[in-house]
Amino acid sequence: MRLNRLDLNLLVALDALLTERSITRAAERIHLSQPATSGALARLREYFGDELLVRVGSEMRPTPLGESLINPVHNILMQIQATVERGVEFVPEESERKFKVLLSDYTATTLMPLLIQKLSIVAPGVQLEFFTPTSDPAYELEQGNVDFLLMPEFTVSPEHPSKNIYQDQFVCLAWDKNTELSKKLTLEKFTTLGHVTVLFGVNRAQTQDQVLLKEKHNLLPNVEIITSSFNDIPQYLIETNRIATIYERLAKTWCEYLPLKMHPVPVSLPPVEWSLQWHEYRDLDPGIVWMREQITNVASEITGCN
């Protein structure tokens, strides 16, 4: 299709070039050779009468015009894709579609196994690809890099639709032979025992329990071990007297097969709501609608078992 002498297929190349800021990476992204991608950039430069991307040292950076085109071009392509997919019938038992979900290892451990079990029956050809949270999950959704965010409610973007699907509360977790916890976990023990905790991403974002302990009770746990993943926590508790504050569903999962024991948190912490979010352009995509229902139904089952 051409519009005012512009081959609209070049918009795909322009989006990749402005996003990747590298001919090599853009070529890989759109499955073209580097010469073909260079040719596309030359045609785009001729059409816009602007360099669009210029080399600065070892990097390519967008010109002011190139910078101004990033969001409009990407949004146009997202709308086109969403419009096309909206008109395509989605048949779960026949589909081989891949759905990309950005989620933490908490949700990957507590929610996804049941979802995968159910999909293997009703949609055996459907694929799921999981992505670790970045410092800016909303950007990954905006760019179309993922189909869904499955994150705490306070992290979701107000720019796109979302749905609260379940909540979880906090418990303390310790080795079941922790010699300091033969009796009730007191506030004194909670503040003096060594803690294992998590910081996420390059920005080292705190988990919600750390935030709430500080905001609600002005408590700073005695942190001895910091890891980058929830699922690392158990190995740093077993055969030690350390404790961790963790989501109850995850703690229950670990206690089923590891020598761990749950204890009530000695202070009151509100539960955390977890939300499912998708791009506004994909709101009526039959495949997205169907997968939303599957995830929501599984979350309801887990909540019902709580």
Side-chain angles (χ1 to χ4, degrees):
M1 180 178 178
R2 294 178 179 274
L3 179 65
N4 192 22
R5 299 180 294 105
L6 176 66
D7 182 348
L8 292 189
N9 289 320
L10 287 176
L11 290 182
V12 177
L14 179 58
D15 179 55
L17 287 161
L18 292 174
T19 300
E20 300 295 341
R21 303 184 183 189
S22 161
I23 291 175
T24 300
R25 292 194 300 269
E28 292 173 353
R29 179 172 180 148
I30 58 180
H31 307 292
L32 287 179
S33 66
Q34 289 190 42
T37 305
S38 294
L41 178 57
R43 293 169 62 191
L44 286 161
R45 284 169 167 169
E46 180 182 3
Y47 179 82
F48 285 102
D50 187 90
E51 287 296 295
L52 299 176
L53 284 166
V54 294
R55 186 163 295 282
V56 179
S58 61
E59 301 178 342
M60 295 190 76
R61 296 182 185 175
T63 64
L65 177 60
E67 189 75 40
S68 73
L69 291 173
I70 293 175
N71 289 335
V73 168
H74 188 76
N75 286 339
I76 287 170
L77 293 176
M78 286 284 291
Q79 290 184 58
I80 291 172
Q81 182 182 9
T83 300
V84 171
E85 290 177 346
R86 187 182 305 170
V88 176
E89 184 180 8
F90 182 79
V91 183
E93 58 270 22
E94 298 177 4
S95 177
E96 296 183 352
R97 182 168 173 178
K98 178 189 289 185
F99 294 92
K100 300 178 179 182
V101 187
L102 187 149
L103 74 175
S104 73
D105 58 336
Y106 159 75
T107 322
T109 301
T110 60
L111 188 78
M112 289 298 112
L114 181 56
L115 176 67
I116 290 172
Q117 291 169 21
K118 292 185 175 299
L119 294 185
S120 67
I121 298 172
V122 301
V126 163
Q127 302 173 55
L128 287 172
E129 183 174 2
F130 301 142
F131 292 78
T132 302
T134 64
S135 58
D136 190 0
Y139 174 81
E140 304 300 328
L141 189 69
E142 288 279 0
Q143 293 297 307
N145 296 333
V146 297
D147 299 306
F148 295 104
L149 302 180
L150 190 44
M151 303 285 288
E153 179 187 30
F154 67 90
T155 67
V156 300
S157 168
E159 304 300 322
H160 299 282
S162 64
K163 179 179 183 180
N164 287 356
I165 59 172
Y166 70 126
Q167 66 175 216
D168 206 351
Q169 59 190 6
F170 293 104
V171 296
C172 285
L173 191 66
W175 182 36
D176 61 8
K177 294 182 177 60
N178 187 317
T179 58
E180 294 289 335
L181 297 179
S182 57
K183 297 181 180 180
K184 179 181 178 182
L185 174 60
T186 64
L187 179 58
E188 180 183 2
K189 290 285 188 183
F190 181 81
T191 55
T192 58
L193 287 177
H195 282 246
V196 180
T197 192
V198 179
L199 294 178
F200 291 113
V202 294
N203 292 337
R204 310 305 282 159
Q206 291 184 318
T207 54
Q208 190 64 357
D209 62 286
Q210 298 171 69
V211 174
L212 292 172
L213 285 169
K214 174 63 175 176
E215 290 182 350
K216 302 292 184 180
H217 303 284
N218 198 30
L219 288 176
L220 295 174
N222 175 26
V223 176
E224 291 185 350
I225 304 291
I226 300 173
T227 183
S228 58
S229 165
F230 286 122
N231 281 331
D232 288 341
I233 290 176
Q235 63 186 317
Y236 302 124
L237 297 177
I238 296 171
E239 298 193 15
T240 80
N241 285 336
R242 300 187 189 100
I243 62 175
T245 307
I246 193 69
Y247 294 110
E248 183 180 27
R249 287 195 182 89
L250 190 54
K252 284 182 176 179
T253 299
W254 292 336
C255 287
E256 289 178 3
Y257 60 89
L258 292 172
L260 297 168
K261 183 178 180 180
M262 291 187 294
H263 302 265
V265 182
V267 293
S268 176
L269 295 178
V272 175
E273 294 280 352
W274 288 75
S275 295
L276 181 66
Q277 185 163 49
W278 56 96
H279 201 290
E280 62 175 340
Y281 294 154
R282 314 289 290 282
D283 195 41
L284 298 179
D285 176 335
I288 296 295
V289 172
W290 179 82
M291 184 56 75
R292 289 202 311 255
E293 293 174 353
Q294 307 313 303
I295 295 174
T296 301
N297 290 342
V298 167
S300 297
E301 289 186 38
I302 292 176
T303 302
C305 293
N306 203 23

